[in-house]
Amino acid sequence: MDRDVSERRVVVGVDGSPSSYEALRWGVRYAGLVGGTVEAVAAWELPGLQGWSGPAVDMDVDEEDARQRMRQELADVLGADEAGAVTARLAHGNAAEVLLRAAEGAEVLVVGRRGRGGFARALLGSVSQHVSHHASCPVVIVGAKES
């Protein structure tokens, strides 16, 4: 990737879950402390493309609409001013692999402890567990605030 290695880039995985919102807030605070930039990364993958048993899906994904919804979500979580300083990236592919690629050369990768899927009682979600084992940079795993 052709990125400036002197840039202190904080990559945050977002998926709409409460713990990803906390990860985003953590990443913004950390970037402020180290003078870094924040890149919020969301991944999308159509179900059934990897295997034979997936349901029929509409292959026409409106990426521009998804980007606009992501920008609105960032503004809802951070406020308009802070969200304006965050680079939003939407990528097609497996979430863990997309985050690992995005985090190459980053100062830190920040993810929520558990995302939208999986089992509520699990200590870590599959994405957070995978990136914690395979990332080329430090990984911070943030849990959702207890209500």
Side-chain angles (χ1 to χ4, degrees), residues 3 32 79 99 113 141:
R3 293 190 168 121
L99 290 172
R113 186 175 65 157
I141 301 172

Side-chain angles (χ1 to χ4, degrees), residues 52-96:
W52 58 271
S53 63
V57 294
D58 181 1
M59 297 297 284
D60 294 324
V61 173
D62 187 344
E63 286 191 53
E64 187 53 39
D65 180 58
R67 279 187 185 82
Q68 288 175 355
R69 285 184 287 135
M70 183 178 179
R71 294 295 320 163
Q72 184 59 52
E73 187 174 21
L74 293 176
D76 291 346
V77 173
L78 299 172
D81 290 340
E82 280 190 332
V86 173
T87 301
R89 299 219 188 277
L90 180 66
H92 176 260
N94 172 274

